[in-house]
Amino acid sequence: MITILKNAKIYIDKENFHESMLIDNGIIKEFGTNEYISKFGADKEFDLGGKTVLPGLNDSHMHLLATGEAMSLCDLTQCRSIDDIIETSKRFLTNNTNLNIVVGRGWNQDNFAAGEKRILNRLDLDKISTDIPIILKRICEHVATVNSKALKMLSIDESTFVDGGEIIIGSDGKPNGILTENAISLTDAIIPEKTDADREKEFLKAAEYALSVGLTSVQSNDVINGNHRDIFRILHNIYDNKKTKLRYDTQFNFQNINYFNEYLETEFKTGTYDGKFLSKGALKLFKDGSLGGRTALMLNDYLDKPGIKGVAALSDEQLEEMCYAAASRNIRVITHAIGDGAIESVIKAYEKTIDNRNNSLRHGIVHCQITNKNQLERIAELNISVMYQPIFLDCDAKIVEQRIGKELASTSYAFNTLNKLCAPISFGTDSPVEDCNPFPNIYCAVTRQGLDGTPTGGYLPAERLSVEDAIDIYTVGSAYNEIKESFKGRLYKGYAADLIVLNKDIFTIDHNDIKNIKVDLTMIDGEIVFERK
């Protein structure tokens, strides 16, 4: 099948555009002027009317299955007070009378505009219901609050201990319903199990949405500790039967060495991957939590909460053990690290376990938000990959200085600094923590502003990126993270024809309008997988 795209503004690389492209059986064969490409002839020809064409975007860290699941949960992302959360949850319960449990996500106390600006507790959730269990997860999913009924069903009391997590105790000496990090997994015991069909439906729903917003590849953490057998089985069924063309690179989370060893003896040995649509991916670890929940691990106390430094989801010794185990099998490791204490630990663990200064396995840090200058320089020196989420600035720019102080904040979320240091960086959304739509993400990287346009001029404007840099980081940068930069991420000859057609020219529109860009057409391997009607 020969396909020609013509009358387009096709982005090749910086300051390099062409107006026509020839695709042969999913591979880019030639580009140039309309006149030149038309000489080849084609089975299909698309006149794009001058629209801009980019390489398909690649989310370097998200949770695709959880994104699909979130579409059916109680959505709290727009709630702006505790009372708002209570009323929204009550409406959800009223509209879903068959439920025997309410699970919601997306609340963020930092966005509250009325009432108390604090984390929810069990007494708040008891106002929704005391008859059925309620679990409401913060937007970061590193903090969850449960009601009294859930605490009783889970047999959680003041003596319950979870390694790498906290059960917060209230002033009465009893659990107040707030769970952090590994303690959140206790709630799995009362959440009804889903069938493979349920999960597959959620996965494909999220994949369809991802294609519609211009993602042609995702690097997704859906395998989490004990669910690995089920999720790998579902993934293989989806991709063996070609139920989606969205390229998927697995990020499998094993906090426990026993689970990881079981994976090494089973899926690692016997799982079949074509390396193009379904790839084996990386071991994903969690070192800490989130800034908003004050569970990000800091070197010093939080400025607005003296005596608290965050939560270590893994000890330094556990982290090193997992890194050594992975490196011995040539498995890439990526570690969630947000606070400067967590990032320090990860840098040291990688320095001990990588085989050389080139970091040939491409170990990486997910988020890498709170950093000092020395850490940025060491990350670049060790060639550690960094998976950033610029969209986090939408909320974090409003709280970061009060959390950690102006000096440390000035070297954090340092996209441009790390890019200039030539460290390998990529972009993702951590969806469903944020919408996986990449254009608000690019907008935040380019403007350093929240979606409301504040602050004027951008937060730490020296860290703004050019549009071209942001696109390259989202495409070839993310492909590098997968060790696939010679196959995708550019619209070069010999590369896969993964591309998107935009409704606005991202290179010439006002930067404030980038967040509003829509995708008119998405192609993978030269095949149309989404077309806006």
Side-chain angles (χ1 to χ4, degrees):
M1 172 71 72
I2 306 295
T3 303
I4 286 179
L5 307 182
K6 69 178 185 179
N7 290 330
K9 182 178 180 179
I10 302 169
Y11 178 64
I12 308 301
D13 46 36
K14 287 185 181 179
E15 300 180 0
N16 185 12
F17 297 87
H18 282 286
E19 62 181 0
S20 192
M21 173 185 290
L22 179 76
I23 301 167
D24 184 356
N25 290 317
I27 301 297
I28 299 167
K29 292 296 185 181
E30 192 63 84
F31 46 74
T33 65
N34 290 331
E35 183 180 9
Y36 172 66
I37 295 299
S38 66
K39 294 178 181 178
F40 292 90
D43 299 299
K44 285 187 178 181
E45 189 171 286
F46 295 90
D47 187 331
L48 298 181
K51 290 182 178 179
T52 299
V53 178
L54 301 181
L57 299 171
N58 181 342
D59 193 306
S60 65
H61 175 68
M62 68 175 306
H63 309 269
L64 190 70
L65 186 57
T67 298
E69 180 183 44
M71 292 176 177
S72 63
L73 298 181
C74 181
D75 182 6
L76 305 173
T77 55
Q78 301 306 310
C79 293
R80 294 298 177 260
S81 69
I82 292 173
D83 287 344
D84 199 2
I85 290 170
I86 293 169
E87 290 308 311
T88 299
S89 300
K90 283 182 176 179
R91 282 196 303 273
F92 182 81
L93 191 53
T94 299
N95 294 333
N96 296 273
T97 54
N98 60 325
L99 294 179
N100 54 18
I101 183 172
V102 171
V103 181
R105 67 163 307 279
W107 61 267
N108 184 351
Q109 82 281 4
D110 294 313
N111 287 336
F112 290 171
E116 296 180 89
K117 204 168 184 175
R118 60 168 173 80
I119 289 176
L120 306 172
N121 60 44
R122 64 177 172 84
L123 299 178
D124 300 317
L125 272 60
D126 285 349
K127 293 177 182 178
I128 303 167
S129 176
T130 55
D131 296 326
I132 65 171
I134 299 173
I135 305 164
L136 302 184
K137 295 182 180 181
R138 191 181 183 277
I139 191 166
C140 61
E141 303 212 3
H142 291 270
V143 177
T145 303
V146 301
N147 66 348
S148 297
K149 181 70 172 181
L151 287 173
K152 183 177 180 180
M153 291 177 67
L154 292 166
S155 300
I156 293 175
D157 60 26
E158 59 275 18
S159 65
T160 306
F161 171 78
V162 178
D163 186 26
E166 289 181 308
I167 296 167
I168 307 300
I169 304 300
S171 58
D172 60 357
K174 304 292 184 182
N176 67 2
I178 301 171
L179 311 176
T180 75
E181 302 307 329
N182 295 349
I184 298 172
S185 64
L186 295 175
T187 63
D188 293 345
I190 58 173
I191 297 176
E193 287 191 20
K194 293 182 179 178
T195 65
D196 284 9
D198 292 332
R199 286 177 166 146
E200 182 176 299
K201 184 177 179 180
E202 290 172 345
F203 183 99
L204 293 174
K205 185 175 183 179
E208 183 178 0
Y209 176 67
L211 294 171
S212 77
V213 294
L215 294 173
T216 55
S217 294
V218 297
Q219 299 167 52
S220 186
N221 174 205
D222 297 310
V223 173
I224 300 175
N225 284 323
N227 77 356
H228 59 285
R229 302 174 199 84
D230 296 336
I231 303 304
F232 280 126
R233 182 177 64 250
I234 292 164
L235 288 173
H236 287 302
N237 183 57
I238 289 170
Y239 282 93
D240 288 350
N241 291 289
K242 299 179 180 178
K243 296 183 180 182
T244 181
K245 292 208 75 169
L246 180 69
R247 300 188 194 276
Y248 184 97
D249 188 89
T250 60
Q251 296 177 343
F252 38 91
N253 170 231
F254 297 113
Q255 295 291 95
N256 183 305
I257 191 68
N258 294 326
Y259 281 133
F260 185 48
N261 285 334
E262 182 180 333
Y263 162 80
L264 292 174
E265 292 304 313
T266 55
E267 179 68 24
F268 182 70
K269 287 184 175 179
T270 62
T272 56
Y273 298 80
D274 63 13
K276 290 188 176 181
F277 289 99
L278 181 63
S279 299
K280 219 162 200 177
L283 170 64
K284 161 74 184 305
L285 302 174
F286 285 90
K287 177 59 185 178
D288 69 346
S290 73
L291 183 71
R294 295 191 187 86
T295 56
L297 186 64
M298 305 299 298
L299 290 173
N300 298 301
D301 290 357
Y302 280 91
L303 193 64
D304 58 352
K305 207 77 170 177
I308 292 181
K309 291 184 179 180
V311 177
L314 287 173
S315 68
D316 291 351
E317 293 74 21
Q318 288 171 322
L319 177 62
E320 288 180 18
E321 179 185 23
M322 296 295 284
C323 288
Y324 274 120
S328 68
R329 300 294 188 101
N330 291 321
I331 295 173
R332 180 163 40 103
V333 179
I334 60 170
T335 306
H336 168 118
I338 287 179
D340 61 346
I343 290 164
E344 187 67 27
S345 173
V346 173
I347 292 172
K348 288 179 178 178
Y350 288 171
E351 196 166 22
K352 289 180 181 178
T353 57
I354 60 178
D355 55 355
N356 54 52
R357 291 279 170 168
N358 292 325
N359 186 20
S360 58
L361 289 177
R362 301 190 185 177
H363 293 339
I365 300 176
V366 181
H367 308 313
C368 198
Q369 289 169 219
I370 310 304
T371 50
N372 58 48
K373 183 179 178 182
N374 175 259
Q375 289 172 335
L376 294 171
E377 290 171 346
R378 287 157 62 206
I379 287 169
E381 180 185 354
L382 292 167
N383 203 41
I384 295 172
S385 295
V386 172
M387 287 139 271
Y388 275 132
Q389 293 73 37
I391 189 66
F392 283 6
L393 285 172
D394 181 48
C395 175
D396 289 0
K398 299 177 178 68
I399 65 169
V400 62
E401 290 187 6
Q402 69 189 51
R403 287 279 196 279
I404 64 172
K406 193 167 186 176
E407 182 178 355
L408 182 55
S410 71
T411 56
S412 299
Y413 305 86
F415 315 146
N416 195 35
T417 294
L418 208 48
N419 190 46
K420 286 182 175 179
L421 288 170
C422 297
I425 63 178
S426 58
F427 284 162
T429 57
D430 203 19
S431 180
V433 173
E434 299 287 348
D435 189 338
C436 66
N437 183 346
F439 294 100
N441 211 21
I442 293 173
Y443 156 85
C444 289
V446 171
T447 66
R448 299 284 294 191
Q449 292 175 311
L451 298 178
D452 62 359
T454 62
T456 302
Y459 179 72
L460 299 176
E463 293 296 343
R464 289 182 299 208
L465 290 166
S466 69
V467 171
E468 291 83 359
D469 279 340
I471 291 169
D472 290 350
I473 289 166
Y474 229 132
T475 54
V476 70
S478 291
Y480 176 92
N481 197 55
E482 299 181 76
I483 319 180
K484 296 226 171 64
E485 72 277 14
S486 62
F487 160 69
K488 62 182 180 179
R490 292 285 196 192
L491 298 181
Y492 285 172
K493 294 179 186 179
Y495 278 54
D498 293 1
L499 57 88
I500 56 177
V501 180
L502 309 184
N503 72 333
K504 299 181 181 182
D505 184 1
I506 193 171
F507 299 101
T508 59
I509 61 172
D510 188 291
H511 289 168
N512 290 319
D513 203 21
I514 291 174
K515 61 181 178 288
N516 301 316
I517 288 175
K518 303 293 184 186
V519 173
D520 285 341
L521 187 78
T522 303
M523 276 187 170
I524 296 178
D525 266 358
E527 177 185 330
I528 295 175
V529 292
F530 168 78
E531 188 170 9
R532 189 167 300 282
K533 304 301 183 184

